């Protein structure tokens, strides 16, 4: 509950203009070597959404500061991957990046990167809008069967109009924290952090594998949806039941690695589901034999 309230507090501050634009301080007691990684994450998220959003990042990291079971390498991975997931790729982000390229001179107005066409799903574009607007539209798209339809969006710096449109799109970042997509991302990050905490308590040897599952969820469009679905399949099929004590899985790290090796670009998840079922069957059989012996 405290984490949700923190998210809402930073969201409201950003919306009503109370974000004072001062970057948050690095937390005290950071593990050796992690300060540059955390600093990079802070600056990335200030650029992405603002100082208040970067403060949320720091608050989330504080959960792992000073823990003896979290060494410097693991803390850096948590910091790096959380910054990446909190700066998820949406049309607003791509517009921000194109403008940044133009301003810094890395993207010439007439260069090959000046005209960038990306394909987004309908539900992804609508999901970037505030929930009060997006949810009724998503209901209609669902009924029509159009949620997965792809729409090509051009991000161009070749003309004044193209640049002007990018500025309008980038300016929508103020509404991002009210969007359907942000609510889902916030819930996902909190569940990922919760699973890391449970792993540290129940199976510490699997904690780094749990941390690194974050890189399964990347990008946008069908690839993003596939990664998210695969992640939940592994967590719900293996990690959560192991932590709950209903699946006697002695080596969760190896199970996660085996399941991840079976991930394919398949919406039906045939190979992944088969491997998860095999891992579960082996674990349950070993548990039964151990109890009988």
């Amino acid at each position: 509950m405290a984490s949700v309230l923190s998210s809402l507090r930073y969201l409201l501050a950003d919306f009503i203009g109370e974000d004072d634009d001062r970057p948050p301080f690095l937390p005290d007691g950071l593990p050796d070597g992690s300060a540059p990684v955390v600093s990079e994450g802070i600056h990335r998220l200030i650029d992405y959404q603002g100082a208040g959003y970067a403060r949320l990042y720091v608050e989330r990291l504080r959960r792992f500061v000073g823990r003896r079971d979290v060494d410097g390498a693991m803390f850096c991975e948590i910091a790096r991957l959380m910054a990446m997931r909190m700066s998820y790729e949406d049309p607003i982000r791509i517009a921000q990046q194109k403008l940044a390229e133009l301003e810094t001179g890395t993207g010439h107005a007439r260069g090959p990167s000046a005209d960038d066409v990306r394909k987004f799903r309908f539900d992804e574009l609508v999901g970037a809008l505030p929930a009060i607007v997006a949810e009724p539209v998503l209901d209609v798209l669902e009924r029509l069967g159009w949620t997965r339809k792809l729409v090509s969006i051009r991000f161009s710096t070749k003309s004044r109009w193209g640049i002007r449109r990018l500025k309008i799109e980038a300016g929508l970042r103020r509404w991002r924290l009210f969007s359907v997509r942000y609510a889902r991302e916030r819930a996902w990050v909190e569940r990922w952090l919760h699973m890391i905490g449970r792993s540290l308590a129940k199976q510490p040897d699997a904690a780094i594998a749990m941390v690194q599952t974050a890189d399964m969820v990347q990008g946008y469009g069908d690839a993003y949806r596939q990664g998210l679905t695969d992640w939940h399949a592994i967590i719900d099929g293996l990690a959560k039941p192991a932590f709950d004590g209903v699946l006697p899985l002695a080596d969760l790290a190896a199970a996660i690695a085996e399941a991840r090796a079976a991930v394919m670009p398949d919406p039906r998840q045939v190979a992944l589901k088969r491997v998860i079922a095999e891992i579960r069957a082996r674990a349950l059989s070993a548990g039964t034999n151990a109890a009988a012996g």
Side-chain angles (χ1 to χ4, degrees):
M1 177 60 72
S3 60
V4 173
L5 291 176
S6 292
S7 295
L8 293 175
R9 183 171 68 252
Y10 294 124
L11 182 156
L12 184 61
D14 183 75
F15 179 71
I16 65 178
E18 289 186 356
D19 193 346
D20 59 15
D21 293 329
R22 289 180 297 177
F25 293 110
L26 293 175
D28 292 332
L30 287 177
D32 291 343
S34 64
V37 179
V38 176
S39 181
E40 182 179 342
I42 288 172
H43 286 94
R44 179 187 183 99
L45 295 173
I46 289 173
D47 177 65
Y48 183 80
Q49 188 63 40
Y53 196 52
R55 282 193 287 274
L56 174 58
Y57 169 71
V58 170
E59 286 297 316
R60 284 169 165 168
L61 281 179
R62 287 187 196 279
R63 304 178 199 183
F64 303 100
V65 173
R67 291 189 58 150
R68 284 186 241 175
D69 50 2
V70 177
D71 61 17
M74 186 186 298
F75 190 89
C76 285
E77 275 293 271
I78 294 171
R80 181 182 68 86
L81 290 168
M82 182 158 56
M84 288 179 60
R85 284 308 322 138
M86 287 181 68
S87 56
Y88 58 86
E89 202 165 13
D90 61 4
I92 302 169
R93 177 61 169 168
I94 296 171
Q96 288 175 309
Q97 291 173 325
K98 297 299 291 185
L99 289 171
E101 288 175 7
L102 191 62
E103 289 170 5
T104 59
T106 56
H108 194 276
R110 298 186 181 278
S113 67
D115 209 9
D116 192 354
V117 179
R118 308 285 185 101
K119 290 188 176 181
F120 293 90
R121 289 168 38 140
F122 249 141
D123 59 349
E124 197 167 24
L125 290 175
V126 176
L129 299 173
I132 193 171
V133 176
E135 287 172 352
V137 178
L138 288 171
D139 288 342
V140 173
L141 292 175
E142 183 68 35
R143 287 197 295 271
L144 294 174
W146 287 2
T147 55
R148 295 177 61 116
K149 284 184 176 291
L150 297 179
V151 180
S152 294
I153 302 294
R154 187 179 302 276
F155 299 88
S156 177
T157 57
K158 285 185 174 179
S159 67
R160 284 174 140 189
W161 162 241
I163 295 171
R164 178 60 180 163
R165 204 182 83 177
L166 288 176
K167 289 180 178 179
I168 293 171
E169 290 166 340
L172 293 174
R173 84 170 192 169
R174 179 168 291 275
W175 296 96
R176 183 191 268 136
L177 301 188
F178 288 90
S179 69
V180 171
R181 173 75 183 274
Y182 174 72
R184 291 172 180 168
E185 288 286 339
R186 183 183 67 211
W188 182 89
V189 170
E190 290 298 337
R191 191 179 191 209
W192 173 63
L193 294 173
H194 176 67
M195 286 296 159
I196 295 171
R198 294 200 72 187
S199 186
L200 288 167
K202 301 284 187 177
Q203 290 209 28
D205 290 343
I208 189 62
M210 184 62 64
V211 170
Q212 291 171 340
T213 60
D215 63 17
M216 294 178 64
V217 186
Q218 297 184 33
Y220 55 90
D222 287 337
Y224 165 80
R225 292 285 181 168
Q226 184 72 57
L228 190 63
T229 304
D230 292 340
W231 185 87
H232 282 295
I234 292 173
I235 297 303
D236 293 335
L238 299 175
K240 186 177 184 300
F243 298 151
D244 290 345
V246 298
L247 183 66
L249 198 54
D251 192 348
L252 177 59
I256 290 173
E258 185 179 350
R260 290 192 63 174
V263 167
M264 299 179 67
D266 174 15
R268 297 177 301 164
Q269 299 177 299
V270 173
L272 178 59
K273 288 178 179 178
R274 183 181 66 249
V275 168
I276 290 174
E278 290 171 356
I279 295 170
R280 288 177 60 88
R282 290 200 307 265
L284 292 169
S285 176
T288 301
N289 292 339

